[in-house]
């Protein structure tokens, strides 16, 4: 019998496939070109080095198996896996199939995709039959996932998701074409099988059943056309839909494994990341603005989409607590927080990026407009006052609104007998983090310089701060060459050294982990161990990385007070489920916000510890105070 | 005018009708809580910047809403956005966003950046 | 009316003297009441129901010409020659609104578009807020403390209700004229009453009413008949001048003419604020200097409706007590 | 604008103004600002109305300028004023008739003070006695010269040769009346029509055929305000005040301004020139300026006196436009030629003097 080599119906598919291949290559080249020189090198090394294997492994686990999603949400994971991995298998074994059973080796891709059409009679003998059984199995696997996907679209609950992302028109078209691909293949194959009495448990049975009452011979062709057409459409639309994440993710994985990071300016990497977002919607579930405050249009998935389609993201960018819960949860590992910060820094005046075409083929001629240089904002700041000391204490603006923490820390310092200097005792200068969070780095830098000078001149070796917001910026952006500690770390150290002895109170304590301290700065253990040392610390499901935001976050400029209150209320009710005596935290802002939302006593770690300093300790400390005073008088200098 | 040794003094009167209230309207549109200010002065009292220089958000709010933009335009730069004012405001005015929007508005409406 | 009704209920024979042709006083000219903005007629209906008792002899357009103490009772001579005997008297002669024309600088009665809070209520009743030339006002100013807290007109006291009335009316104006802008010129916002402050907040938040701290010093008309008001924006520390289409004066409360006359003929004491003076501000606010004569409501001080009604009830209990034991 | 409302107020503010036998005291500054005015006043009072008006040669300043300029202490002022009273008693008059608004205000203020604080009056009596050996009794009636003209406005109208009417269009002249601050702002009850809507000048204008215009800044001070003007560094405020008024009245297209105070006509007149010099801003119809008159000058014009006899050539802002409108016959060439052989009585009286 004669085997056809070509048929016009494959043209849509061919066009689509070629288009998408060329597009991806071009895109990757552009992205590569836009990388900084250092990153280019990184990528090259990464590609031809050890990282390569890493990447392949990751691609297999994440892009195909979708391990992370499976972990967080099985059904959602299975859906993604069946589609991605299933399709991969289909193509893989399809190609093999053509290679084995085809007339010659190395066939054009369409041969593999439409194998059944070109080899309708195949599949009668044992091995052939087994093989087509395998192919049917894979197809069934995909279809099961597809079924889930369709259900998810109409009721996302079933897939275990609370929210599902909203779609643009072009997404809908792409989605339908995607949905059509496999059913049309199923039918096409079934009809063909029906006509020739081939096919396995799926296509075969379905085929013969159709054949019993349908003119399968005539019906087969249109469905092969449909199959090819939907594939074509899908490929063509890919670049302007969220499905672009499929090819982009591969590139991202290589970049990441080569050690490229987002940084603080927009560039290829952040762009690749935005295109890698598959809008799976896990971030939406994690977002407290969504489930507490009922704000449902600012979550990262939407944010990424907005950036992709070049909408004005200014307000979205600022309507975020920056708690990092989504960042933590993103299965693709997109650095969501840094990307938001980039958008905040870019401000509201990068108008030339707004046009859609400039967006997709970013125009390199006119990049971001250069901001007009501004006069220094804080010229009014007074002559820097400082004092020689070993340890510096920086309470921070917020701590000045919670004197309890401030006083407790001073008590602890006295107890420790260290020669410390309270930098902002009579009202200091802001650390600069709030400005930075508002994307105003230049202004922030002025404050950083101001504070740095005081710290350097004091010649101290350690800087202790009570406010995680301050801690983060001192730690990351000051480059002081001085050890920066949050007071929870400092207290931990004093305890370990035995400098302060503490009584143990049997009070039930629950710890609320401040975002800036935990996810923000990776400090999880010290506060916990300090609390465990002085009180009966309770476990909650929100310990560690999974902690909630109090709602007070300075990072969000747009949140109304009543919305903040809602978040605080929910957080508190979650944390106080075990009816603790004290709700402990390590941040003045968290303390203030939570205290307004509950009757449970809210205390800062410092306050709890200060309350447990034993009497003997106090005596010792009095002596040491004198020492400090003397030291002070001597070592006071300009 | 030299020949007289004096000139015509400018009045201090706020002329509400001829003043440019676009900044105020922009803020109100994007941050309605701006309206809720009762000028209690908590913001100014707790202000970090205010402890170093003449800077009163209370005053700026009033001036902006009257369309007296000259002082706010330059004074707003003194704000450190530290957020104490937001925490102490008895009326729940989102003061940080007010400052943020005001700066944005001046960028938007002024020929030169603030 | 409250007092009369209550007394009648508890079986006394009551004669109610009303100088107007119908009872209710100022309640009749008010449209909606603060803070819940219910229709004044509802309260009026409640009072009318109280009056339905046949124990009450209701004489309208009647005033008292002469009062004589006959030992334990009083004889009253009315303007239409009647002679009434009473064991006890409740004085509920109420208040008059401050005559805004006395604040000449606001030009009430001279500038066509300067009106009083009472005039505005009238407009609400008609459901039509228009300027003198029947056009719709765009910018509306409300002046607080007209005739209150003002030594120049001899009223040192605060009339207490004008602030909340102003806020209520500001909201109602915005309801009627969504396109309009409303400015309240106040010295202090005195919202001391249940849900008053909340109303103030609503006015700012929901209705975008503008509040400028400073009392209008003078109003004048420009060439196109718009009003020019001068005020110091005391929060900005700068004088402010603006064009306004309609200026509403929050007239304060003063002791009514009737009360003054009554004070002369009866020898009842009046205080420095010219209102009737009770023997004790804390526990005797209904008791006058004449045995058997008691006060009810705004003839003793500015009060809102709630307070007036409670005060009337208190007066009733004083009367009952007096007639049972106190009489001697 | 509801004129009826104003009439109600005007009714409330009527004052008692003596009918005859006036003791006239001149103003310190008017005689060199607008010398024609006081002369014209006397002419009208004596020749037209046939009143007995007496002037005392020993009359001195009332120190009002010094007092309001924070230079002369109040007791000194009172003693000086007490002496004026004493002079009046000496001359056998009891109706005090000051030509100056500030004097009028000051006398009113002092009489009111003495009324409330008799002990002060006693003290002053002693001081005057000590200083000059003089006694005094307070005047029976105190009225400002403009009050008297207001009182006899109808008589003047009856004898009027011209009216405040534009004879070309037949429309009444649009007149801005500006009242000196010290006239009624301190004691509204002592001014005809009170302080908010003064009627003293408005009454004359209406009576003589003109139309008074009410403009937003009508209450505003002309800008003299002693302190403001006397110190050169403060003159910016003075001129700013006048400017405020001009800007506010300009839209009403006034033909002229009438005043009853020594300072106001001076400053409203001269500042128009200075404003033009500084800012190049001109007021009035096609920048010809808004002529400013004293009420005596207006009365004089109405009665048909020669403009130059009235001293209108002393105005910095030319008043010819008004003369034209009123249809007054005058010889432009004689404007600055006072001693031309003119046979006007006033001229002769000058020569006699």
């Amino acid at each position: 019998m004669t085997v056809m080599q070509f048929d016009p119906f494959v043209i849509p598919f061919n066009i689509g496939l070629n288009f998408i291949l060329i597009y991806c290559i071009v895109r990757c080249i552009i992205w590569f070109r836009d990388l900084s020189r250092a990153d280019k090198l990184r990528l090259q090394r990464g590609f031809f080095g050890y990282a390569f294997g890493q990447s392949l492994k990751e691609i297999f686990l994440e892009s195909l198996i979708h391990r992370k999603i499976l972990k967080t949400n099985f059904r959602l994971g299975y859906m993604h896996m069946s589609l991605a991995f299933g399709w991969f298998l289909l193509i893989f074994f399809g190609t093999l199939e053509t290679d084995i059973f085809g007339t010659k080796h190395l066939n054009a891709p369409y041969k593999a995709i439409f194998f059944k059409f070109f080899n309708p009679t195949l599949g009668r003998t044992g091995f052939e039959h087994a093989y087509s059984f395998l192919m049917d199995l894979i197809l069934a696997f995909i279809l099961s996932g597809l079924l889930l996907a369709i259900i998810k679209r109409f009721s996302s609950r079933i897939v275990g998701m609370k929210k599902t992302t909203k779609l643009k028109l072009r997404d809908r078209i792409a989605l339908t074409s995607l949905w059509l691909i496999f059913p049309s293949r199923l039918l096409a194959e079934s009809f063909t099988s029906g006509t020739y009495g081939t096919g396995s448990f799926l296509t075969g049975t379905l085929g013969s059943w159709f054949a019993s009452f349908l003119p399968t011979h005539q019906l087969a062709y249109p469905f092969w056309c449909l199959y090819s057409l939907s594939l074509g459409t899908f490929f063509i639309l890919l670049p302007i839909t969220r499905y672009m994440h499929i090819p982009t993710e591969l590139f991202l994985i290589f970049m990441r494994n080569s050690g490229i990071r987002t940084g603080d300016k927009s560039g290829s990497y952040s762009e690749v990341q935005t295109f890698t977002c598959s809008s799976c919607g896990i971030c939406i579930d994690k977002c407290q603005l969504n489930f507490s405050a009922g704000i449902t249009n600012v979550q990262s998935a939407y944010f990424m989409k907005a950036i992709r389609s070049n909408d004005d993201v200014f307000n979205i960018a600022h309507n975020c607590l920056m708690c990092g819960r989504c960042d933590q949860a993103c299965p693709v590992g997109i650095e969501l927080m840094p990307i938001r910060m980039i958008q905040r820094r870019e401000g509201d005046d990068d108008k030339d990026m707004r046009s859609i075409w400039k967006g997709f083929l970013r125009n390199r001629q006119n990049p971001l407009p250069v901001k007009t240089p501004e006069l220094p904002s804080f010229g009014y700041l007074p002559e820097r006052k400082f004092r020689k000391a070993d340890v510096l204490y920086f309470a921070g603006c917020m701590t000045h609104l919670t004197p309890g923490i401030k006083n407790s820390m001073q008590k602890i310092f006295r107890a420790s007998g260290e020669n410390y200097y309270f930098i902002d005792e009579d009202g200091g200068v802001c650390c600069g983090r709030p400005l930075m969070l508002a994307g105003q780095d230049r202004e922030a830098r002025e404050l950083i310089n101001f504070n740095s000078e005081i710290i350097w001149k004091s010649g101290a070796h350690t800087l202790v701060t009570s406010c995680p917001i301050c801690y983060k910026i001192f730690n990351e952006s000051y480059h002081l060459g001085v050890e920066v500690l949050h007071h929870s770390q400092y207290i931990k150290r004093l305890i370990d050294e035995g400098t302060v002895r503490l009584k143990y109170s049997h009070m039930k304590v629950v710890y609320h982990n401040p975002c800036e301290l935990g996810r923000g700065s990776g400090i999880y253990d010290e506060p916990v161990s300090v609390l465990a040392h002085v009180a009966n610390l309770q476990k909650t499901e929100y310990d560690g990385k999974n902690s909630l935001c109090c709602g007070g976050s300075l990072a969000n400029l747009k949140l109304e007070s009543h919305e903040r209150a809602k978040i605080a209320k929910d957080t508190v009710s979650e944390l106080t489920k075990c009816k603790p005596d004290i709700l402990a935290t390590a941040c003045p802002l968290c303390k203030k916000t939570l205290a307004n939302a509950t009757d449970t006593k809210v205390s800062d770690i410092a306050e709890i510890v200060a309350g447990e300093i034993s009497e003997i300790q106090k005596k010792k400390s009095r002596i040491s105070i004198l020492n400090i005073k003397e030291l002070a008088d001597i070592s006071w200098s300009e | 005018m030299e020949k007289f040794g004096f000139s015509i003094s400018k009045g201090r009167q706020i002329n509400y009708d001829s003043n440019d209230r676009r900044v105020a309207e922009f803020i109100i549109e994007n941050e309605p809580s701006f309206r809720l200010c009762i000028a209690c002065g908590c913001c100014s009292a707790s202000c970090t910047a205010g402890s170093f220089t003449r800077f009163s958000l209370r005053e700026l709010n009033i001036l902006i809403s009257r369309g007296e933009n000259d002082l706010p335009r330059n004074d707003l730069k003194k704000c450190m956005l530290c957020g104490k004012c937001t925490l102490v405001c008895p009326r729940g005015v989102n003061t940080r966003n007010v400052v943020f929007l005001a700066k944005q508005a001046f960028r938007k409406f002024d020929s030169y950046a603030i | 009316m409250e007092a009369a009704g209550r007394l009648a209920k508890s079986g006394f024979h009551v004669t109610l003297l009303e100088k107007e042709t119908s009872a209710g006083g100022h309640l009749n000219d008010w449209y909606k009441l603060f803070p819940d903005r219910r229709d004044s007629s509802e309260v009026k209906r409640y009072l009318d129901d109280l009056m339905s008792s046949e124990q009450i002899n209701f004489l309208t357009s009647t005033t008292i010409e002469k009062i004589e103490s006959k030992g334990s009772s009083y004889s009253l001579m009315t303007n239409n020659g009647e002679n009434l005997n009473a064991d006890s008297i409740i004085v509920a002669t109420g208040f008059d609104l401050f005559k805004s024309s006395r604040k000449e600088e606001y030009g009430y009665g001279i500038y066509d578009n300067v009106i009083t809070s009472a005039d505005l209520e009238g407009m609400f009743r008609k459901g039509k807020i228009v300027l003198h030339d029947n056009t719709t006002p765009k910018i509306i100013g409300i002046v607080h403390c007209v005739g209150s807290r003002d030594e120049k007109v001899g009223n040192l006291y605060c009339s207490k209700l004008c602030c909340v009335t102003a806020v209520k009316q500001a909201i109602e104006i915005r309801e009627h004229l969504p396109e309009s802008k409303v400015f309240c010129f106040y010295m202090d916002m005195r919202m001391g009453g249940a849900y008053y402050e909340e109303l103030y907040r609503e006015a700012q938040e929901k209705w975008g009413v503008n509040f400028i701290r400073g009392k209008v010093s003078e109003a004048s008309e420009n060439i196109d008949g718009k009003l020019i008001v001068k005020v110091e924006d005391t929060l900005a520390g700068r004088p402010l001048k603006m064009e306004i289409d309609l200026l509403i004066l929050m007239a304060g409360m003063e002791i009514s003419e009737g009360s003054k006359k009554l004070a002369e003929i009866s020898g009842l004491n009046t205080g420095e604020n010219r209102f009737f003076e009770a023997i004790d501000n804390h526990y005797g606010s209904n008791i006058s200097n004449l045995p058997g004569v008691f006060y009810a409501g705004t003839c003793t001080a500015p009060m809102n409706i709630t307070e007036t009604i409670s005060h009337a009830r208190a007066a009733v209990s004083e009367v009952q007590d007096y007639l049972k034991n106190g009489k001697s | 604008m509801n004129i009826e409302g104003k009439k109600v107020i005007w009714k409330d503010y009527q004052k008692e103004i003596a009918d005859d036998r006036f003791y006239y005291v001149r103003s310190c500054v008017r005689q060199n600002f607008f010398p024609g005015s006081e002369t014209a006043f006397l002419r009208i009072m004596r020749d037209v109305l046939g009143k007995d008006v007496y002037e005392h040669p020993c009359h001195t300043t009332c120190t009002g300028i010094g007092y309001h300029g924070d230079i002369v202490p109040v007791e000194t002022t009172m003693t000086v004023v007490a002496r004026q009273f004493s002079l009046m008693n000496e001359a056998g008059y009891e109706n005090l008739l000051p030509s100056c608004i500030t004097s009028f205000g000051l006398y009113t203020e002092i009489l009111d003070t003495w009324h409330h604080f008799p002990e002060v009056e006693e003290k002053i009596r002693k001081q005057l006695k000590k200083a000059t050996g003089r006694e005094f009794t307070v005047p029976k009636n105190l009225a400002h010269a403009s009050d008297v003209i207001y009182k006899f406005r109808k008589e003047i109208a009856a004898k009027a040769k011209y009216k405040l009417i534009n004879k070309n269009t037949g429309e009444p002249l649009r007149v801005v009346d500006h009242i000196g601050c010290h006239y009624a702002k301190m004691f509204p009850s002592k001014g005809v029509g009170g302080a908010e809507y003064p009627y003293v000048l408005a009454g004359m204008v209406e009576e003589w055929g003109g139309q008074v215009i009410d403009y937003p800044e009508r209450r505003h001070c002309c800008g003299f305000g002693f302190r403001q003007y006397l110190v050169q560094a403060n003159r910016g405020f003075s001129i700013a005040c006048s400017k405020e008024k001009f800007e506010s009245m300009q839209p009403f297209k006034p033909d002229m301004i009438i005043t009853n105070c020594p300072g106001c006509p001076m400053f409203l007149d001269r500042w128009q020139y200075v404003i033009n010099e500084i800012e190049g801003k001109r007021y009035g119809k096609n920048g010809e300026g808004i002529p400013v008159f004293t009420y005596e000058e207006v009365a004089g014009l109405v009665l048909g006196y020669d403009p130059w006899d009235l001293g209108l050539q002393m105005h910095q802002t030319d008043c010819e436009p008004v003369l034209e409108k009123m249809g007054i016959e005058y010889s432009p060439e004689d404007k600055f030629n006072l001693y031309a052989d003119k046979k006007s009585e006033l001229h002769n009286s000058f020569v006699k003097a």
Side-chain angles (χ1 to χ4, degrees), chain A residues 447-460:
Chain A
L447 299 182
I448 291 176
N449 296 341
F450 182 89
N451 288 324
S452 304
E453 199 175 330
I454 302 174
I455 296 163
W456 282 323
K457 283 189 179 164
S458 70

Side-chain angles (χ1 to χ4, degrees), chain D residues 91-148:
Chain D
Y93 286 81
E94 42 194 16
N95 303 329
L96 186 56
L97 186 66
S99 150
C100 170
I101 283 288
T102 295
S103 302
F104 173 73
L106 188 68
Y107 292 146
T108 318
E109 185 181 345
I110 290 175
L111 291 176
D112 191 74
T113 315
W114 289 352
H115 173 72
H116 289 94
F117 308 94
E119 67 276 14
V120 178
E121 185 178 352
E122 277 321 300
K123 193 168 173 202
I124 299 302
R125 282 188 186 287
K126 288 201 192 64
Q127 287 177 1
L128 182 68
K129 183 94 182 139
K130 217 174 331 96
T132 64
R134 287 174 168 277
E135 309 270 333
F136 73 92
T137 55
V138 298
K140 184 156 133 285
N141 175 281
L142 169 63
H144 181 255
S146 60
D147 293 333
V148 178

Side-chain angles (χ1 to χ4, degrees), chain D residues 77-328:
Chain D
T77 300
M78 284 181 170
T79 320
V80 173
V81 167
R83 177 176 168 280
Q84 318 284 30
F85 292 163
S86 163
L87 287 174
M88 180 180 68
N89 307 142
E90 202 174 74
Y93 286 81
E94 42 194 16
N95 303 329
L96 186 56
L97 186 66
S99 150
C100 170
I101 283 288
T102 295
S103 302
F104 173 73
L106 188 68
Y107 292 146
T108 318
E109 185 181 345
I110 290 175
L111 291 176
D112 191 74
T113 315
W114 289 352
H115 173 72
H116 289 94
F117 308 94
E119 67 276 14
V120 178
E121 185 178 352
E122 277 321 300
K123 193 168 173 202
I124 299 302
R125 282 188 186 287
K126 288 201 192 64
Q127 287 177 1
L128 182 68
K129 183 94 182 139
K130 217 174 331 96
T132 64
R134 287 174 168 277
E135 309 270 333
F136 73 92
T137 55
V138 298
K140 184 156 133 285
N141 175 281
L142 169 63
H144 181 255
S146 60
D147 293 333
V148 178
I149 297 294
Y150 166 79
K151 186 182 170 83
F152 299 115
R153 64 193 189 283
K154 293 195 164 57
E155 288 78 345
I156 292 171
K159 301 198 164 70
K161 185 149 171 255
Y162 302 104
K163 280 187 158 300
L164 297 178
I165 290 176
N166 185 329
K167 86 170 201 311
N168 310 325
T169 65
E171 291 184 352
L173 294 183
R174 304 172 59 76
V175 186
V176 164
D177 66 320
H178 174 79
I179 310 292
C181 295
H182 295 160
Y183 175 69
K185 280 179 186 161
M186 297 186 288
F187 296 90
S189 61
K190 294 289 188 290
V192 177
E196 280 299 324
Y197 310 96
Y199 190 55
V200 59
L201 296 179
M204 300 180 199
V205 173
E206 284 175 355
E207 202 59 45
W208 301 338
Q211 178 199 356
V212 181
I213 56 179
D214 185 346
Y215 61 109
E217 293 298 352
R218 79 162 176 279
R219 306 172 176 89
H220 207 296
C221 167
C222 67
F224 186 0
F226 307 112
R227 247 188 249 86
Q228 277 61 27
Y229 180 73
L230 295 174
V231 182
Q232 192 195 31
N234 294 350
R235 278 177 206 165
F237 298 113
S238 171
I239 192 165
C241 288
S242 309
K243 186 165 181 242
E244 184 92 20
K245 286 186 79 71
F246 293 133
E247 291 294 334
S248 170
M249 71 176 75
Q250 178 72 351
F252 293 81
K253 303 195 175 55
D255 296 308
M256 62 191 281
I257 302 174
I258 178 172
T259 63
N260 71 340
C261 170
C264 310
M266 175 72 174
F267 286 88
L268 292 176
D269 181 44
R270 307 295 198 261
W271 280 153
Q272 287 190 53
Y273 156 77
V274 178
I275 290 172
N276 181 24
E277 286 295 313
I278 293 180
E279 289 187 340
K281 171 91 174 141
R282 294 161 161 276
Y283 296 97
K285 187 150 161 281
N286 41 51
E288 68 194 10
I290 308 170
V292 187
F293 298 88
T294 67
Y295 59 97
E296 296 105 325
E297 288 169 343
V298 176
L301 288 176
V302 165
L303 289 167
Y305 293 179
D306 179 84
W308 312 140
D309 288 353
L310 289 169
L312 297 191
Q313 61 275 60
M314 304 288 285
H315 291 227
Q316 190 136 26
T317 309
D318 290 339
C319 40
E320 280 83 347
V322 172
L323 305 183
E324 302 290 349
K325 286 176 193 156
M326 288 175 69
I328 293 171

Side-chain angles (χ1 to χ4, degrees), chain A residues 161 203 272 322 491 519 531 548 555 558:
Chain A
M161 289 229 330
T203 49
V272 171
M322 290 285 189
I491 294 169
R519 282 179 301 266
L531 283 171
L548 292 163
K558 303 294 169 188

Side-chain angles (χ1 to χ4, degrees), chain C residues 104 107 110-112 219 230, chain D residues 1-2 13 197 217-219:
Chain C
E104 289 164 9
I110 291 175
Y111 302 130
D112 301 323
K230 284 189 180 177
Chain D
M1 181 80 57
N2 175 358
Y13 292 101
Y197 310 96
E217 293 298 352
R218 79 162 176 279
R219 306 172 176 89

